Amino acid sequence: MVFLDFEKPLESLFEKLDKIKQVGEDGDIDVSEMVKEIETKIKNTQKTIYENLTGWQKVQLSRHPERPYSLYYVEEMTKAFTELHGDRTFKDDKAIVGGLANIDGMSVVIIGHQKGVNTKMRQFRNFGMANPEGYRKALRLMKLAERFNIPVVSLIDTPGAFPGIEAEERGQAEAIARNLFEMAQLKVPILCYVIGEGASGGAIGIGLGDRIYMLENTWYSVISPESCSSILWRSWDHKEKAAEALKLTADDMYNFGIIDGIIKEPLGGAHTEPAAMAKILKKHIKKELAELMDMNPQKRIDQRIKKYSKIGEFDKVKIKVSQA
Amino acid sequence: MGWFKRLKEGIQTATQNKKEAPDGLWFKCKSCNETSTNKELKENFFKCPFCNYHVRIGSHDYFEMIYDNGKFVDLFNNLVSKDFLDWTDLKSYSDRLTTAHEKTDVMDSISVAYGKVNKMPLVIAAMDFSFIGGSMGSVMGEKISMAIDYCIEVGAPFMIISKSGGARMMESAFSLMQMAKTSAKLTLLAKNKLPYFSFLTDPTTGGVTASFAMLGDINFSEPGALIGFAGPRVIKETIKKDLPEGFQRSEFLVEHGFLDFIVDRKDLTNKIGELLAFFNSASKAS
């Protein structure tokens, strides 16, 4: 198990638990009382830790190295999945995956960012930072879904779109913009979940939809706390402050009315019980898609556009009429 | 003894006899370092008379230049940004807004106007880089959204003159969502068969490029403008290599297929007139 800095009190408790269990197995002393005692202690400590997480701590949890990624959920939730590759123009991006899925008899096109599970795979997946061809592959799959009246589920988990020379040459900005434009008018339902990190244009590039949900320990913002700190505080050291200021947690986003709901995670985060998390997510997807598929397509699009048109906070002032 | 020896040290002229050019009379070009008068600069469409460097100008400079006889009506000028997240970094957002309002004579980083170009109606939304880096917050998104509604209502084509560092961090997720909001609204303009011209000027980066600025029916720019998704500094830090000459400049974007053409500012009004005439006669024919 990997413990984050704020989880340190748990680490010693788990160590103690392991030792006592070992003693119980080795000898003939009855340790069940002690095990029970420590387990309650662990539960209580977990509660105090996880019920009062700061923004920055949630950012850390969202990046937990053992956290499940898109393909894990796909594998757990679907009976059959055929991954599709390539944008038909340039190449196959490894940081965005997608394909044809079957969730309990229902055909669904799933797209999502994909991070790697070890050092080698993290590089292979470019740390979940997509290039333009990733966004274009996602769009190709969405258009395919539209043609056959199949709903789209999008799983968001990226530290941002990749900032590289080739990404600029191939039009990173255009690829994201095109997706926003096309997703606004897509005739089939789009259901989005932030399952980890939701950073900026890289996230929203596959994140415009009818309904947006966030898992409990995820974040969604215009910029990562680190980059925000480096730009506005002119140093990398204020990431905690930036994370607070950005109000990037699922709770904040729900209170702002930007997302439609929060999906509870198992105590300690999705990585503690990934299979249980996948089950919760699957149930949620099924319920939501049933509702969305029932709607009239044009009405769904109108509502989608209205939903985004409403987002914004500003004042109105009285001013003198300017020159004509 | 040398004939050039200075006998008295220091400046001898009394302050009241000092001869100095008043502020705002001279312009020194950032690109070629040559000096010209501001009057010459303005007569040359705010371009350096020596090297043709296109100086960054404000929304209303463009409005006056583009609209017939410099006449136009300001729209939706009553929308102002507010600090709804109680944001403070090294400075508070409300202080930044106050400073921006004192320093500039615009209401926010974007202004919308309605007027005629060659007697043809056009709605223009133009940005001011001097207002918090032309950053996109809720006001920018709402003004673009309202401008699109207005275009549909009066049947006018739409043009956005972008000049922005990207999303306004002090409005966090709300500024991010403006990308979705503006792009979604642009689909309505397209459905109503009204042309949208995206004019990207120096600099256009971040969330502005990655939404409405790249979505023009026609995308065009001025010479030498910086246009990109990630800023050059961020890319340099990521790849730890120097960036190639001319990278992310408008000429580079034409070469890579993301801009239709580059227009010299002196030809801008004519070019817009041509575009409007083209689409107007096309819609009459259909």
Side-chain angles (χ1 to χ4, degrees):
Chain A
M1 269 207 273
V2 179
F3 290 94
L4 302 169
D5 54 2
F6 60 89
E7 293 175 317
K8 286 290 176 226
L10 286 172
E11 187 169 15
S12 52
L13 285 173
F14 272 106
E15 271 172 17
K16 227 184 201 169
L17 185 68
D18 282 348
K19 261 186 211 157
I20 290 169
K21 277 185 177 164
Q22 194 67 42
V23 171
E25 278 166 28
D26 291 349
D28 41 19
I29 316 162
D30 182 20
V31 291
S32 58
E33 277 298 308
M34 284 169 83
V35 168
K36 219 180 240 168
E37 195 184 310
I38 293 179
E39 276 176 347
T40 351
K41 228 177 187 175
I42 288 177
K43 271 262 141 65
N44 289 338
T45 317
Q46 276 180 326
K47 262 204 178 134
T48 37
I49 291 177
Y50 296 117
E51 274 170 13
N52 301 297
L53 291 177
T54 65
W56 175 246
Q57 287 168 341
K58 290 210 169 175
V59 171
Q60 286 174 287
L61 266 184
S62 77
R63 296 173 180 163
H64 196 288
E66 289 160 352
R67 199 173 167 86
Y69 303 135
S70 291
L71 284 176
Y72 174 81
Y73 288 118
V74 167
E75 205 167 291
E76 285 288 312
M77 295 189 304
T78 63
K79 280 204 191 81
F81 179 71
T82 307
E83 189 178 343
L84 303 179
H85 296 272
D87 69 341
R88 295 293 184 269
T89 304
F90 183 69
K91 73 192 282 190
D92 183 48
D93 193 278
K94 310 297 182 202
I96 287 183
V97 295
L100 314 174
N102 182 308
I103 301 182
D104 290 350
M106 186 188 209
S107 291
V108 178
V109 164
I110 302 183
I111 53 173
H113 298 102
Q114 180 65 30
K115 293 178 177 174
V117 289
N118 53 40
T119 310
K120 206 174 159 191
M121 288 305 284
R122 275 189 269 279
Q123 268 179 352
F124 177 72
R125 297 291 181 188
N126 200 26
F127 306 92
M129 294 186 283
N131 274 289
E133 49 274 19
Y135 294 100
R136 291 182 181 130
K137 168 167 73 178
L139 181 58
R140 178 173 79 85
L141 300 193
M142 289 188 272
K143 285 292 193 185
L144 178 74
E146 182 179 48
R147 228 162 27 246
F148 297 96
N149 196 32
I150 296 165
V152 175
V153 172
S154 175
L155 305 176
I156 296 157
D157 186 9
T158 181
F162 187 64
I165 291 183
E166 292 84 7
E168 296 288 327
E169 283 174 347
R170 297 198 291 274
Q172 188 74 285
E174 195 274 344
I176 292 171
R178 186 64 51 202
N179 279 15
L180 295 175
F181 190 85
E182 296 292 340
M183 289 172 93
Q185 289 284 344
L186 204 77
K187 293 189 182 74
V188 291
I190 306 175
L191 183 56
C192 305
Y193 293 90
V194 180
I195 58 164
E197 300 186 85
S200 192
I204 207 166
I206 58 166
L208 191 156
D210 299 295
R211 292 187 191 162
I212 320 294
Y213 293 94
M214 287 172 76
L215 266 52
E216 189 184 352
N217 296 309
T218 63
W219 61 276
Y220 201 176
S221 172
V222 69
I223 190 166
S224 74
E226 287 93 335
S227 306
C228 181
S229 158
S230 114
I231 296 171
L232 289 181
W233 278 268
R234 302 205 180 96
S235 125
W236 293 91
D237 306 331
H238 301 274
K239 48 187 190 288
E240 285 97 342
K241 260 191 250 168
E244 289 311 312
L246 284 166
K247 305 218 166 41
L248 41 61
T249 67
D251 287 323
D252 291 324
M253 294 291 285
Y254 183 67
N255 291 336
F256 292 150
I258 292 179
I259 61 165
D260 298 272
I262 301 168
I263 319 277
K264 271 287 225 190
E265 292 185 20
L267 194 64
H271 62 283
T272 57
E273 292 173 66
M277 186 71 245
K279 223 175 193 173
I280 299 171
L281 187 61
K282 179 178 170 178
K283 200 175 148 200
H284 198 270
I285 290 175
K286 280 172 67 179
K287 183 181 143 273
E288 293 291 311
L289 285 186
E291 281 177 32
L292 288 170
M293 284 303 271
D294 251 2
M295 288 174 71
N296 167 286
Q298 191 52 51
K299 208 177 143 200
R300 206 165 43 217
I301 293 169
D302 292 345
Q303 276 193 9
R304 194 185 295 158
I305 293 173
K306 209 175 270 168
K307 167 194 173 79
Y308 285 97
S309 303
K310 276 193 323 216
I311 300 177
E313 290 285 330
F314 44 81
D315 278 331
K316 283 185 179 172
V317 292
K318 269 192 188 157
I319 47 151
K320 55 185 191 305
V321 180
S322 60
Q323 83 274 21
Chain B
M1 194 175 88
W3 56 270
F4 49 83
K5 185 173 163 57
R6 188 168 189 166
L7 296 173
K8 284 179 180 169
E9 292 290 321
I11 297 162
Q12 303 300 311
T13 318
T15 313
Q16 69 258 34
N17 297 332
K18 205 164 75 174
K19 281 177 190 150
E20 207 173 60
D23 268 352
L25 189 61
W26 292 95
F27 163 77
K28 189 176 178 194
C29 178
K30 265 204 324 202
S31 174
C32 70
N33 280 331
E34 288 285 350
T35 324
S36 48
T37 66
N38 270 334
K39 190 165 166 278
E40 283 169 343
L41 186 72
K42 194 171 175 181
E43 279 165 1
N44 197 36
F45 302 91
F46 298 98
K47 301 183 302 170
C48 171
F50 296 92
C51 70
N52 206 34
Y53 171 74
H54 284 55
V55 176
R56 286 180 190 173
I57 55 174
S59 55
H60 287 70
D61 296 322
Y62 278 113
F63 293 159
E64 278 165 27
M65 201 182 292
I66 294 168
Y67 284 122
D68 293 348
N69 307 317
K71 274 189 178 171
F72 57 90
V73 187
D74 272 301
L75 297 174
F76 324 123
N77 229 345
N78 60 331
L79 301 190
V80 288
S81 296
K82 70 170 176 188
D83 180 16
F84 55 93
L85 295 178
D86 272 327
W87 181 284
T88 305
D89 47 82
L90 295 178
K91 242 168 128 184
S92 75
Y93 181 30
S94 38
D95 280 352
R96 281 181 203 268
L97 285 171
T98 312
T99 316
H101 278 130
E102 281 166 2
K103 228 177 63 185
T104 66
D105 37 17
V106 288
M107 297 303 283
D108 211 285
S109 53
I110 194 164
S111 297
V112 183
Y114 174 84
K116 298 209 163 155
V117 183
N118 275 352
K119 297 181 189 133
M120 293 169 284
L122 178 66
V123 173
I124 306 179
M127 294 170 203
D128 283 274
F129 197 73
S130 51
F131 196 102
I132 321 187
S135 54
M136 169 167 63
S138 300
V139 167
M140 186 181 286
E142 182 66 12
K143 277 195 181 177
I144 289 176
S145 173
M146 291 174 83
I148 290 168
D149 289 338
Y150 186 83
C151 286
I152 294 171
E153 199 187 307
V154 303
F158 187 38
M159 172 167 166
I160 298 181
I161 304 180
S162 295
K163 188 182 283 292
S164 168
R168 190 176 288 174
M169 279 172 278
M170 295 75 106
E171 294 190 20
S172 192
F174 283 85
S175 60
L176 178 66
M177 292 300 147
Q178 304 311 309
M179 292 171 67
K181 176 172 174 171
T182 52
S183 305
K185 290 290 288 207
L186 279 175
T187 65
L188 301 182
L189 199 66
K191 291 235 150 185
N192 281 276
K193 300 202 186 315
L194 291 166
Y196 160 47
F197 312 132
S198 177
F199 185 50
L200 299 85
T201 68
D202 184 59
T204 301
T205 58
V208 166
T209 323
S211 59
F212 55 83
M214 271 293 152
L215 292 172
D217 293 307
I218 309 286
N219 293 339
F220 60 121
S221 177
E222 290 178 342
L226 176 80
I227 301 162
F229 174 63
R233 198 172 53 95
V234 175
I235 299 174
K236 213 174 147 178
E237 278 170 15
T238 308
I239 61 166
K240 299 186 171 63
K241 265 191 269 178
D242 278 334
L243 302 174
E245 180 83 20
F247 180 62
Q248 291 185 318
R249 295 289 161 184
S250 38
E251 295 76 9
F252 172 96
L253 272 96
V254 172
E255 199 49 42
H256 285 90
F258 295 101
L259 292 180
D260 290 292
F261 54 83
I262 292 170
V263 63
D264 189 292
R265 204 178 278 158
K266 76 170 172 4
D267 304 320
L268 178 62
T269 309
N270 266 340
K271 190 43 94 180
I272 295 169
E274 276 175 29
L275 291 175
L276 286 173
F278 176 87
F279 286 101
N280 280 351
S281 68
S283 67
K284 260 175 218 147
S286 66

